Amino acid sequence: MGETRMHCRFVWGKLFLDRPATLAVASTITVIAGIAHAAPLNFTNEGVARGVAFRLGFNYAQTGAGNMLADLDNDGDLDIVIAGGLGGVFGVYENDGTGNFTDRSADVGFAPLVCTGVTAADYDNDGDLDVYVSGWFSPCRLYRNDGNFSFTDVATEAGVDLDAPSEAAAWGDYNQDGWLDIYQTVRTFTDGVEIQNRLFHNNGDGTFTDVATQLGVEAPGDPSFVPTFFDFDRDGDDDIYIGTDKGSDVFAPFLHNKLYRNNGDGTFYNATYDAGAEAYIFCMGIAVGDLNFDGQFDLYLTNIMQGNLLYMQNGDATYSDQTSAAGMESFLVGWGTVFADFDNDTFLDNYVCNIEGANRLYRGKDISQWPLADEAAEAGVDVIWDTYCVSVGDIDGDNDLDMLVGNTNRRVNLFINNSSDAATNNWVRLNVEGSQLNRYAIGACVEVEAGGKTQTHEVRSGTNFKSHNELTLHYGLADAEVISEVRLFFGGGLIRTLHNMPINQEWTLYTADRLGDPDNDGMISVDEIRQAMLVRTGQGVTLAPGTEIFDMDGDFDIDSKDIQMMGLGVLSPSRR
């Protein structure tokens, strides 16, 4: 009934021989049988079959190397970047639109590097995603996207070529000037290096300036592992949460996670203790998501052996430990982790990467039915070999979420979601688009109200552990047939409300200053009004995806009211 595996590894410079681990399949099935799900989750590892046969190297020294799912060529599908190959090489793969890939590694311009993290963001606001790479005792790199899978390293001229034991990075617009900034963690005091975390402020001219110490967010003395920007207090600006290694309330009470709350004017307040978010653990990965539909973001934090932590927001800007209630302690050596709705049933599932033990997949359900059960084995994603990093996105365009999971001395795992529940449940996918600045709307929060629940997701760049998820927001809707309201929060507060959004579609949400302006020149021209009239549906007739930019009032038709708002005045359909 079980399976025994043994192998050796280097962790933090030491050689370990794994003790045998027996997988208790029978007991797992007993637990799973009590869960009221129509069918188990089901994934297949299709990396080689789909053209992604990338082999990672022996990357224990930097505790794993990141991976990325991002649309690098603006063709509407997810491409792949994987760090940590043999000799420090990168794997870069172009998606053909069906989830099959062409290897572009040799011609993109990524030089070999002992890499830790990878993230994507449009730092220069030219409309495409650039790639930032954290180096391990090697200068970090910023690859400017020049189009057609061609990149140029501009880190030195940009001022972000930090040479340190750098770990993960995250992007956010902390001062809301429209230019994305970088928070880079450093595992301070590794090999005696005293360099601290950096907050690289984007100057808007292709250069960055470190303001971490000036703003008091450098986490002095901490061996920091992973940061994330997220709107902790839902006040419309980016706060910073940092996972710290070596934390212990007994032996090292000065080492713990940090929460820097944004004051709204580009300055920060250390709200760690006020929020109860200190987490005295060996924090490696951070997953952020709203598990109980209250509009507040909860945190799942991986740890080493002593148990992971689930912090639930209490609704008053404080957290409480609900790990035991959720059954998510894990008690393995945890690293990357992510929340995602893999079966489109509205409940966020959680994937955890481990070394010295199988990966876990906690199937989400209503908190009244907790604890959750680990269904990784049944789903086919219980990777036994050591994994550090995970990225999530719809790789093959079938409207469910797949996973890219790193490995060590093995090929990467490309897990394609074949879950029957995901295929039968309803869903909606949302892309948020800004205007001239912060075009990918990093930091935007979107609330979707359907089926008596409100789901809240946020556009983030750099999360989990050293990795990058797709920027499209994915919402499972279960059997809900109507989305009554969608609310877009961006740049300081609520900026748009939309009604009666059709389900089972991928829509683009535009900021108010972008509506009616397809060429994005900041004004609505006569030609653009003519374009709107050509696709006008009339009142109550649902528009087609791709024409949302002309829906000025957010009711998913294009009628005379929209034309009037674009500037022509009242125009009935009979006068076209």
Side-chain angles (χ1 to χ4, degrees), residues 475-505:
Y475 300 78
L477 300 176
D479 58 358
E481 297 182 354
V482 175
I483 299 174
S484 56
E485 191 166 283
V486 175
R487 295 177 288 273
L488 170 60
F489 298 81
F490 187 49
L494 177 65
I495 63 169
R496 286 194 71 194
T497 301
L498 300 90
H499 300 277
N500 301 317
M501 174 181 281
I503 63 172
N504 298 335
Q505 297 282 359

Side-chain angles (χ1 to χ4, degrees), residues 285-361:
I286 301 174
V288 184
D290 178 11
L291 298 188
N292 57 350
F293 310 103
D294 66 351
Q296 305 295 324
F297 292 117
D298 311 303
L299 300 171
Y300 186 67
L301 313 171
T302 55
N303 192 10
I304 294 180
M305 300 304 290
Q306 294 92 347
N308 300 343
L309 286 181
L310 174 64
Y311 276 169
M312 297 288 292
Q313 267 233 41
N314 299 316
D316 59 357
T318 66
Y319 286 101
S320 60
D321 182 353
Q322 298 294 324
T323 319
S324 180
M328 299 175 69
E329 298 96 333
S330 187
F331 296 115
L332 293 172
V333 183
W335 296 91
T337 180
V338 62
F339 286 122
D341 185 359
F342 292 115
D343 52 4
N344 287 336
D345 69 347
T346 75
F347 298 106
L348 291 179
D349 312 300
N350 177 258
Y351 191 71
V352 185
C353 294
N354 293 309
I355 66 172
E356 303 185 30
N359 290 0
R360 299 196 185 281
L361 175 55

Side-chain angles (χ1 to χ4, degrees), residues 62 65 83-90 110-118 132-141 143:
Q62 73 268 41
L86 297 170
V89 301
F90 290 80
F110 288 9
L113 176 74
V114 180
C115 171
T116 54
V118 291
Y132 178 76
V133 179
S134 304
W136 183 252
F137 289 101
S138 298
C140 298
R141 294 173 180 165
Y143 287 108

